[in-house]
Amino acid sequence: MTETQIGTRIREVRRARGLTQRQLAQRVDISVRTLRAYEQNKRVPDEKTLHKIADVLEFPAHYFLRGEPLPKVRLLFVCSLDDIFGG
């Protein structure tokens, strides 16, 4: 897994979750500038920060670290059943 892929995957999952950079940065308690640097592969988050990002995105940290492919279907289901059925 290259460092380049980590930032690309963070951006991919953030977008799939419908979050802006500002929203994710606030939830992880980092600056937008830092998150942007991660997503542009200019910096790599430390382990603690990467786990916080994974927790906020509700995505397994190993996806970012190991680069294990996930089915595209997994990225499509970003809303809850309540959102779909108006619960």
Side-chain angles (χ1 to χ4, degrees):
M1 177 58 148
T2 66
E3 294 174 353
T4 300
Q5 291 173 319
I6 292 171
T8 301
R9 285 173 180 251
I10 291 170
R11 183 180 63 240
E12 173 185 272
V13 176
R14 176 186 56 77
R15 288 179 175 171
R17 293 292 192 222
L19 295 174
T20 65
Q21 286 181 331
R22 181 175 307 281
Q23 290 169 322
L24 179 57
Q26 287 174 338
R27 293 179 189 182
V28 177
D29 197 28
I30 58 174
S31 70
V32 174
R33 182 182 212 168
T34 297
L35 179 60
R36 190 174 298 125
Y38 295 157
E39 290 189 357
Q40 293 174 348
N41 301 302
K42 294 179 179 177
R43 291 181 57 189
V44 178
D46 60 35
E47 185 177 348
K48 181 179 177 181
T49 303
L50 185 59
H51 281 279
K52 286 172 75 174
I53 290 170
D55 287 345
V56 168
L57 294 175
E58 297 178 342
F59 226 72
H62 65 80
Y63 173 73
F64 303 105
L65 295 170
R66 295 187 208 141
E68 296 174 4
L70 293 176
K72 288 183 181 184
V73 173
R74 183 115 184 229
L75 292 177
L76 295 176
F77 296 108
V78 295
C79 58
S80 71
L81 292 177
D82 288 340
D83 293 335
I84 295 169
F85 296 110

